[in-house]
Each structure stands twice: as C-alpha cells, then as structure tokens.
Amino acid sequence: MAATDLPFTRDEYEARLAKVRAAMEKAELKALFITDPSNQAWLTGYDGWSFYVHQGVIVTMHGEPVWWGRRMDTFGALRTVWMQPENIRGYDDSYVQSKTSHPMQDLGRILVDVGASDGRIGVEMDNYYFSARAMHTLHASMPKVQWVDATGAVNRERAVKSAAEIGFMRKAAAISEKMIDGLLERVEPGVPKNEVVAELYRDAIRGVEGAWGDYPAIVPMLPSGIDATAPHLTWDGRPFKTGEATFFEISGCYRRYHAPFCRTLFLGTPPDDMLRAEAALQEGLEAGIDAARAGNRACDVANALYGALKKAGITKDGRCGYAIGLSYPPDWGERTISLRENDETVLEAGMTFHFMPGLWQENWGLEITEPILIRESGPAETFCNRPRKLFVKP
Amino acid sequence: MAATDLPFTRDEYEARLAKVRAAMEKAELKALFITDPSNQAWLTGYDGWSFYVHQGVIVTMHGEPVWWGRRMDTFGALRTVWMQPENIRGYDDSYVQSKTSHPMQDLGRILVDVGASDGRIGVEMDNYYFSARAMHTLHASMPKVQWVDATGAVNRERAVKSAAEIGFMRKAAAISEKMIDGLLERVEPGVPKNEVVAELYRDAIRGVEGAWGDYPAIVPMLPSGIDATAPHLTWDGRPFKTGEATFFEISGCYRRYHAPFCRTLFLGTPPDDMLRAEAALQEGLEAGIDAARAGNRACDVANALYGALKKAGITKDGRCGYAIGLSYPPDWGERTISLRENDETVLEAGMTFHFMPGLWQENWGLEITEPILIRESGPAETFCNRPRKLFVKP
C-alpha cells in the first residue's frame, strides 16, 4: 500500500522522476543516491523528522525509486511515499551512532541489490546529510564504483515549479503575510521578544483559511538595534526598545513549501541614513522585480538592484536572493540559482525566488524583501502583498 | 570587545577549553576544527542560525579558539562569542554555494595562519555540517596534513554537565512540563492537530517564570493512531479522532539546552494490549531509573528496562535513550552515549539522558519517557515531574 495522503498527484511524481532520469542520462549516471531531505520529499513524498540519521533515496534508470533509512523510519516511509513497500528498505538500529559500524555499509548492499555495484553513481557531496564519513565508507566498501558529485542535480530540476507547487507557495505566502501583520501590530517598546515570537509561531502554525501551517525550515530571525548588524541572530527574552529597528525574517510554510518574507520596524524616529537606505531599497526592489522576467538572467536582477543602491551611495555585492520552494532545515533556499553578479542562469516562467537585499550596516540592519514568481511575460509577481517600506511606530 | 551576554562565565568556557585540549593531547592532535553547531556554542558561545553555510571553530594548543564563517556572520560572532575580534574570521560571500570555489579553501589559509599547516588535525567526519566535499577540498588543498576523524570528540567532553548547565536544563524541563500539560488539556476529538501545535509552540516560546523559550532542535512530533507506528512524523491539519492514541514527543528549550519529554494520550478506551504495554513500560522505566546510577553502565539501564518489558512479552532492543543537553537542529541528542545493550560507558554524576523507551507496535505507538540526571548516589533524578502513565480521555 502506497501512502494515501500524498501532497501531489502520481502523475506529478512520475514527471519529476522523468526529469531526474533525463539529468542522470546527461551526466552518464547509472544510479543516484540523494540525501537532501527536500529532494527525497520532492521525488517520493517522504516526510518525517528523521534526517538526523543517515537516509536517502536511490534512483536508477528503471523501476521505482528506493527509499532507504533507519528501520524504525521505514514505517514513516510506508505512511508518506508513493512507492510500493518492497521499495522501502531499512537498516538495523545497531548502525545508529555506532563506533564500530556505519549505515553506509548497509547502503552498499542495497546498491548491489538494485544493480548499482559499479559504474558512475551520483551522490550529493556538499549536502548537510552526506558526511565525509559517509563518502569514505562507500568508497571503502564499493571499490568498483566511480562516485560522482551530484550536489544540486535534483535541486536544479526543482527550479521551475508546477501549478500545484505554486498553489502551495501562495498558501505559504498568505501565512507569511499574516505573520508579518501580527508582528507589526504586537511589537511595542517593553514587550519581551520571546512573547512576540510565541504569538508569531502561533500564527504560523494555525495558518490561514484552507492552509494549516507546517514548520518553516528556518526559525524566525528578528535581531534589534546593533544586533541587527548581524543577519542570523534569533531571539531572547529581552524587551523591544525605543530607538531601535528590528528586522523580521520569517516564512510561512504549507506542506514544506515556503514563502520567505522580511519587513523592518523602527520604534521611534529612524535616523536619516536609514530613511535614505529605505528609499534606495524601494527603488532597487522595484528595479529588480522589473528585471526579473523570463529570458533575463539571475544577474540582471542583482545588477538592477545594485545600480539603484549605488546611486544612493550604498555599495552592496554578493547574493541578493536565491531559489525557494520545498525545504527542510537547516535552509529554506534551494541552493541552486543565486541572484548575484556572476550567476547567468536564464530565468524561466515558474521559477521562484526570495529577492532578499538585506542591508546590514555599521549600526543597524534593514530588510525589506519579496518572495517572487517569474511569469510568462512581464515583471515578476510578488507572492506577498504588503507595503514595501520601513514601518515606524513613533 | 567580546560579547556581553554570554550564557556562562568566562571560567566555565576556560574549563571547557582545557577539557578539549586534554582530549586533543591524548589523541595527539595539533589542531581541531569543529563544525557541530552545539560544539561551537559550548566552546565559544556562538549562537545564530547560520550553520546552513560552512563554518566552524579552530582549536589549537595555545591562545583563544578561532571562530570562522561567512563574513556576514562574523557580526553575529562579535555579538555572541567570548573571544577577541581578531579571533573571528570571515570568508567572502562569493564562496557561498558556488560551483567554482569552496569555503574550505579559505579555511585552509586560516589553518596555515594559526600554525596548523601540517601534522594531525581532527575534523568531525560524521557530522551534518562537515560534508564529503568539505573533506575533499581540505585534502586537496593541504596535502601535508593528516586528517583524523574527531567525530564526537568534543561532544563526549560535554557529557558531564556543570551546575550552571543543569540549571538551564531544569528551566527547559519546566517548559517541557508546561507543554505536555497544555497538550493533555487541549487535545479533544475534532480539534485540528495544527491548532494544538500552534498553542504548543506558543507555550514553548513564552516559557515559564524566569525562563524565556528558545527553539527546540527538533519540532514537535505527534502522530496518531496508525501513523504512530512511525516514530518521526510531524503534524498536519486533520482533527484528532476518538479511538486513537497520540504520542507527544516534545522538548522545552532554554538557551539551547533541552529536556525532551514524551507522554501519550488515548481518546476513548485503549485496547488491552496497549494497557498491558503501559504497565510493562511503567515497570521498565522504574527499573531503568533505578539502574541509572553513578558507577553503573549505560547498558545496565537498557537491560533493566528490556528485562521488565520481556516479562510482559514485549521484545525491544536497540537504543532506549541518549545523552542530551545543548543542541541545534537537526538533533537534540548529543550523539555520544546510547542507552543500549552494548554501550558500556560508566555513568557519572552530572550526566543527562533522555530515557526514551518508545514502543512502536503494529497498530499503535506508545511513548512514556523521562529526561534524567545521574546523581552522586541513588537512582537518577527525573527532570520532569508528571504522572508516568498513558493518559486517557474517555
């Protein structure tokens, strides 16, 4: 019995598998072993918080993919994947965090079973869930295999979203809007930050009409004042203070699909340099969204933004956005296309990005961002619809 | 300027560093590069959701540790670590998710700077945050180094908790109790699961008097009925149903310290086999907690539990617990000592475990667990204090 509550139709999973096999053929891969939880979910439906142990999906050129993991998690696979039970394989608990054995020894045997005992096999060498020891163990136990780095191979096939996926992201975006609305309403001087985050989580998980909230792949980040010069601090129990800006980097999540969205709130009167940056950022976002069209390149979006910022004397380079969609911790990005000067990927309709020009200056941080969808024609659509400004409570 | 709001005293950080250096000396390591975010936080105070890019801490036998990461995250390091700014090093954004360069090329240069260009250097080869590609890149760029697998080396030094750490875990446990109390009160037939999770998160982050809630390293898991035959499913928007058991696996978190805690609730009248399992589990937990004494071994706890279960005709083997404390996603375990038949680690006062004998049977799942503290003498103390039973709402 395959799982009955799959997020997508069987046809959609078949189409995804066909895309991956075409990529494998191009890369001359006999088999692919993927460990990225988002790739596993996208291809098979697998969904569970079990990626803290070794697990993955084996794809060959024929038959169904094979989900492989800790034996106790095969029961979760039975509940969530579309493949038949014989294509769900488990390893013994004695392999878990053992000093004397490694799960990849078991995987080696499964690979032999599916006819992948030699030749070129792709593995995601730069993924959180494929450790140096995993590679070493496979190397040692399967000497006839030529291991090929397939980092991002499946992620890239996820870049253009289906109509159903875009529907999920619209639901996530509606949750993101609700989260930001709640923040802007509740944040006041003297309110402890964790109290506000508690309500934020409540909003995120309650969701909106027609969309229950799933857990986002990144927790809320909302540093204030000088802490906001750093992009990735979370929260504590101290109160919000007058005279400080706080940026809110959050995402709603619906069935693992994300719509990251950021706004900034100043309590008091913002300094002039922040207001000038706001104006430049507004112009830059407008220019970037206008450049985010099918046929243009990822770098065109970045350059449009950086041009507008430069006119205001703000130098920014590096990434100002990344592909988004289905994700598991620790990242809600797809880790493929970046909006930056040297990424010449041609944009296609159905691609989705977090256009994220964070400004972390010497004394403050400012984030005004948009999750966007590349359309068949015209500028990108923003998934969220909220004033694109620095919010101020005097 | 070192960070001003460190969770622990400078003396405590010095003591930790000394323990790590003693372990390095024993392993004849010239340097150690650690990527596990919990090891980074334990040694330096570093705290931020930036572990989705390559980063880590370098320890040599002299001077302060060096925190190394993406340049934008050095600002977060300035806000959170105890070392001087010159010991915070950043790499350029162009290394991030690049097809043409890898951050470990930059790390190689830093290692040379700190005098670690050859000899034995430890790296955490089986950690989420040290990929196969990271190892490969270091191998290629530093041919004179002998890379040694130091997975768990720092984690093991964390096993015995300080009084301050135990204090943090008591706060986390108070939050765990509040979370379970709220679940038992709110879960009713017909209530959508995500609505209950929304309130659960609110409780977790609001915390309790004197303890704001931090994000747990694992999200709540609360499968019902047949889904509870799988240990690691999360939630959706469907309602709770009469005739089903739901187990709740949750943890409060205070400044990254955890106290994982599980209880199970049956809506309706539980089947006889579940009630028999409950009785066996109660006896097994009692026996296990009694065996969890300084001087006994980890396996003694497992064997005491399994003996009691066996008398009731329930065969369970494998792990029934693991070391806990400071953690970051994707795992709230320390990944060192396991409560299982072949782990002969001698228990010491100050060690902390999640004693977690989950029963995932053919038609249902039952989790009644305790976070425990090994004492100087006598049986372990349970951090939480709630009835150790299957809860039932008729």
Side-chain angles (χ1 to χ4, degrees):
Chain A
M1 266 286 292
T4 52
D5 186 37
L6 290 163
F8 299 98
T9 63
R10 283 295 299 274
D11 282 353
E12 182 148 351
Y13 288 106
E14 290 295 343
R16 293 172 182 185
L17 184 57
K19 283 170 82 172
V20 169
R21 282 187 170 142
M24 288 169 65
E25 201 154 23
K26 213 167 151 191
E28 296 176 18
L29 297 180
K30 185 178 200 168
L32 182 61
F33 173 64
I34 54 170
T35 51
D36 188 325
S38 49
N39 290 337
Q40 293 184 54
W42 184 75
L43 262 178
T44 74
Y46 184 75
D47 184 28
W49 190 289
S50 56
F51 38 84
Y52 69 92
V53 294
H54 291 280
Q55 60 178 35
V57 168
I58 305 163
V59 183
T60 60
M61 296 310 284
H62 306 284
E64 296 185 341
V66 173
W67 188 90
W68 167 87
R70 188 181 185 182
R71 184 162 304 138
M72 65 166 68
D73 293 317
T74 60
F75 298 97
L78 280 170
R79 311 292 307 154
T80 57
V81 310
W82 56 264
M83 298 90 76
Q84 294 301 304
E86 62 265 29
N87 292 316
I88 297 171
R89 305 287 293 266
Y91 60 83
D92 193 80
D93 219 53
S94 62
Y95 285 103
V96 175
Q97 295 166 24
S98 164
K99 285 180 220 164
T100 56
S101 65
H102 195 283
M104 291 296 153
Q105 295 168 323
D106 186 79
L107 179 73
R109 288 186 284 272
I110 311 279
L111 286 173
V112 172
D113 275 4
V114 301
S117 58
D118 57 12
R120 289 166 58 85
I121 300 182
V123 287
E124 296 169 317
M125 292 191 192
D126 214 11
N127 191 275
Y128 316 108
Y129 301 104
F130 190 73
S131 69
R133 174 59 57 191
M135 184 78 271
H136 181 83
T137 307
L138 284 176
H139 259 298
S141 56
M142 304 192 74
K144 288 192 207 156
V145 171
Q146 186 189 342
W147 301 100
V148 177
D149 191 356
T151 303
V154 174
N155 308 56
R156 283 191 290 274
E157 299 305 322
R158 290 161 40 200
V160 175
K161 306 295 182 288
S162 70
E165 288 179 296
I166 291 168
F168 280 21
M169 292 179 74
R170 290 196 197 287
K171 290 186 175 187
I175 300 175
S176 296
E177 289 177 337
K178 180 184 167 192
M179 292 167 74
I180 288 288
D181 290 346
L183 285 164
L184 295 173
E185 188 181 315
R186 293 180 196 120
V187 172
E188 297 283 353
V191 178
K193 198 168 270 191
N194 70 301
E195 293 285 343
V196 165
V197 176
E199 303 302 327
L200 177 69
Y201 259 113
R202 185 167 180 266
D203 282 347
I205 309 299
R206 292 193 76 193
V208 295
E209 180 68 32
W212 57 274
D214 205 346
Y215 61 90
I218 301 183
V219 298
M221 294 179 289
L222 60 168
S224 301
I226 184 83
D227 279 346
T229 61
H232 296 122
L233 301 183
T234 51
W235 67 86
D236 57 25
R238 288 179 288 189
F240 288 95
K241 277 191 269 188
T242 300
E244 286 186 345
T246 304
F247 66 73
F248 304 100
E249 184 164 352
I250 58 92
S251 181
C253 184
Y254 178 71
R255 298 198 87 164
R256 311 300 329 123
Y257 281 78
H258 293 74
F261 186 44
C262 311
R263 287 293 181 265
T264 303
L265 173 66
F266 198 97
L267 296 176
T269 307
D272 284 349
D273 59 345
M274 194 183 284
L275 293 172
R276 281 194 301 273
E278 177 203 12
L281 206 45
Q282 285 169 326
E283 196 182 325
L285 281 160
E286 188 77 32
I289 290 167
D290 191 65
R293 292 165 185 256
N296 278 0
R297 299 161 307 169
C299 56
D300 295 329
V301 181
N303 290 332
L305 167 79
Y306 295 153
L309 292 180
K310 203 173 174 185
K311 279 198 292 179
I314 299 171
T315 309
K316 183 171 161 68
D317 52 16
R319 298 210 306 173
C320 61
Y322 43 81
I324 51 169
L326 174 63
S327 230
Y328 283 83
D331 189 9
W332 59 38
E334 288 186 341
R335 297 183 301 286
T336 49
I337 308 164
S338 289
L339 303 180
R340 61 180 158 192
E341 302 95 320
N342 63 351
D343 192 324
E344 305 202 344
T345 307
V346 175
L347 303 179
E348 296 175 49
M351 286 182 172
T352 50
F353 298 94
H354 186 201
F355 183 23
M356 203 292 183
L359 292 183
W360 304 286
Q361 305 295 90
E362 205 184 328
N363 296 309
W364 46 259
L366 178 62
E367 293 189 359
I368 304 173
T369 79
E370 299 288 354
I372 60 172
L373 166 66
I374 306 299
R375 295 194 280 202
E376 294 289 345
S377 63
E381 175 188 325
T382 56
F383 276 107
C384 293
N385 177 26
R386 288 296 178 270
R388 202 175 295 152
K389 66 173 194 179
L390 168 66
F391 287 82
V392 177
K393 285 191 187 181
Chain B
M1 264 286 291
T4 51
D5 185 37
L6 288 164
F8 300 97
T9 64
R10 283 295 298 273
D11 281 353
E12 184 150 350
Y13 287 107
E14 291 295 342
R16 294 173 181 184
L17 184 58
K19 284 171 81 172
V20 168
R21 282 186 171 144
M24 287 169 65
E25 201 153 25
K26 215 167 148 191
E28 297 176 17
L29 297 179
K30 185 178 200 168
L32 182 60
F33 173 64
I34 55 168
T35 50
D36 188 326
S38 49
N39 290 337
Q40 293 183 53
W42 184 75
L43 263 178
T44 72
Y46 184 74
D47 185 27
W49 190 290
S50 56
F51 38 84
Y52 69 92
V53 294
H54 291 280
Q55 59 177 37
V57 168
I58 305 163
V59 184
T60 60
M61 297 309 286
H62 306 283
E64 296 184 342
V66 173
W67 188 90
W68 167 86
R70 187 181 185 180
R71 184 162 303 138
M72 64 167 69
D73 292 317
T74 60
F75 298 97
L78 280 170
R79 311 294 305 154
T80 58
V81 310
W82 56 263
M83 297 91 74
Q84 294 302 306
E86 61 266 29
N87 292 315
I88 297 170
R89 306 285 292 265
Y91 59 83
D92 192 82
D93 219 53
S94 62
Y95 284 104
V96 175
Q97 296 167 22
S98 163
K99 285 180 221 164
T100 55
S101 64
H102 195 283
M104 290 298 151
Q105 296 168 323
D106 185 79
L107 178 72
R109 287 186 284 271
I110 311 279
L111 286 172
V112 172
D113 275 4
V114 299
S117 58
D118 56 12
R120 290 167 58 85
I121 300 182
V123 286
E124 297 169 315
M125 292 191 192
D126 213 12
N127 191 276
Y128 316 107
Y129 302 103
F130 190 72
S131 68
R133 173 61 56 191
M135 183 77 272
H136 180 83
T137 307
L138 284 175
H139 259 299
S141 57
M142 304 194 75
K144 289 193 208 156
V145 171
Q146 186 188 343
W147 301 99
V148 177
D149 191 357
T151 304
V154 174
N155 307 58
R156 282 191 291 274
E157 300 306 322
R158 291 161 38 199
V160 174
K161 306 295 181 289
S162 70
E165 288 180 296
I166 291 168
F168 279 22
M169 292 179 73
R170 290 194 199 287
K171 291 187 175 186
I175 300 175
S176 297
E177 289 177 336
K178 180 183 168 195
M179 291 167 74
I180 288 287
D181 291 346
L183 285 165
L184 295 172
E185 189 182 314
R186 293 181 196 120
V187 173
E188 298 283 352
V191 178
K193 198 167 271 189
N194 70 301
E195 292 285 343
V196 165
V197 176
E199 302 303 326
L200 177 70
Y201 260 112
R202 185 166 180 266
D203 282 347
I205 308 300
R206 293 193 74 194
V208 296
E209 181 66 34
W212 57 272
D214 205 345
Y215 61 90
I218 300 183
V219 299
M221 295 178 288
L222 61 166
S224 301
I226 185 81
D227 279 346
T229 61
H232 296 121
L233 300 183
T234 51
W235 68 85
D236 57 27
R238 288 179 290 189
F240 287 96
K241 277 193 268 188
T242 300
E244 287 187 344
T246 303
F247 67 73
F248 305 100
E249 184 164 352
I250 59 93
S251 181
C253 185
Y254 179 70
R255 298 197 88 163
R256 311 299 330 124
Y257 280 78
H258 293 73
F261 185 43
C262 311
R263 286 295 182 264
T264 304
L265 172 66
F266 198 98
L267 296 176
T269 307
D272 284 349
D273 60 342
M274 195 183 283
L275 293 172
R276 282 194 300 274
E278 177 202 13
L281 206 45
Q282 285 169 327
E283 198 182 324
L285 281 160
E286 189 77 32
I289 290 167
D290 191 65
R293 291 164 184 259
N296 278 359
R297 300 161 304 169
C299 56
D300 295 330
V301 182
N303 290 331
L305 167 79
Y306 295 153
L309 292 181
K310 204 174 173 183
K311 280 199 290 178
I314 298 171
T315 308
K316 182 170 162 71
D317 53 15
R319 298 209 307 173
C320 61
Y322 44 81
I324 52 169
L326 173 64
S327 231
Y328 283 84
D331 190 8
W332 58 39
E334 287 186 342
R335 295 183 302 287
T336 50
I337 308 164
S338 289
L339 304 180
R340 62 180 158 192
E341 302 96 319
N342 63 350
D343 192 324
E344 306 201 344
T345 309
V346 175
L347 303 179
E348 297 175 48
M351 286 182 172
T352 48
F353 298 93
H354 185 202
F355 183 23
M356 202 293 186
L359 293 183
W360 304 285
Q361 304 297 87
E362 206 183 328
N363 297 307
W364 46 259
L366 178 63
E367 293 189 358
I368 304 173
T369 79
E370 299 287 356
I372 60 173
L373 167 66
I374 307 299
R375 293 194 282 203
E376 293 290 345
S377 62
E381 175 189 326
T382 56
F383 277 108
C384 292
N385 177 27
R386 287 297 178 271
R388 203 176 293 151
K389 66 173 193 179
L390 169 64
F391 287 81
V392 176
K393 285 193 185 180

